[in-house]
């Protein structure tokens, strides 16, 4: 029981630290969007956008990329023309195709 308590305490500390990190890294102008079971902070500026996902442990990059595309389109109201994954974990940059 003592080990479980220590494990639980460490897990809670890690969860709180992750939330704090996400809050520090996301912009005040970011829109929170859920897509495909993933949560993203999406920032748009003109015809570009960035989607960041901080809380996933999944390693399926193709699934994450599809969800990022949908999240960006939801947040921006524009179609994604190009989508590129950054070297940073779970961060995607997009160029947008906004009609009129």
């Amino acid at each position: 029981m003592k080990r479980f308590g220590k494990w639980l305490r460490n897990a809670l500390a890690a969860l709180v630290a992750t939330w704090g990190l996400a809050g520090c890294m996301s912009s005040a102008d970011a829109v929170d969007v859920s897509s495909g079971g993933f949560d993203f902070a999406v920032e748009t500026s003109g015809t570009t956008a960035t989607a960041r996902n901080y809380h996933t442990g999944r390693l399926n990059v193709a699934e994450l990329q599809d969800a990022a595309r949908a999240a960006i389109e939801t947040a921006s109201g524009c179609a994604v023309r190009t989508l590129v994954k950054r070297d940073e974990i779970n961060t995607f940059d997009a160029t947008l195709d906004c009609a009129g």
Side-chain angles (χ1 to χ4, degrees):
M1 188 66 162
K2 191 182 257 187
R3 286 184 188 192
F4 178 73
K6 184 177 181 180
W7 176 86
L8 184 59
R9 189 171 50 250
N10 289 338
L12 288 173
L15 182 61
V16 169
T18 302
W19 284 337
L21 179 62
C24 292
M25 295 176 69
S26 63
S27 168
D29 296 330
V31 175
D32 294 327
V33 179
S34 293
S35 176
F38 299 97
D39 295 323
F40 293 92
V42 180
E43 298 174 47
T44 58
S45 178
T47 58
T48 62
T50 301
R52 291 180 176 86
N53 169 268
Y54 301 108
H55 302 291
T56 183
R58 298 185 194 176
L59 298 176
N60 187 336
V61 177
E63 185 179 327
L64 184 64
Q65 186 167 351
D66 289 343
R69 176 183 301 275
I72 290 169
E73 290 177 343
T74 298
S76 68
C78 301
V80 171
R81 184 180 324 146
T82 63
L83 186 65
V84 178
K85 184 181 180 310
R86 282 192 200 175
D87 288 337
E88 297 173 34
I89 295 175
N90 300 344
T91 301
F92 297 88
D93 292 312
T95 56
L96 305 174
D97 187 11
C98 297

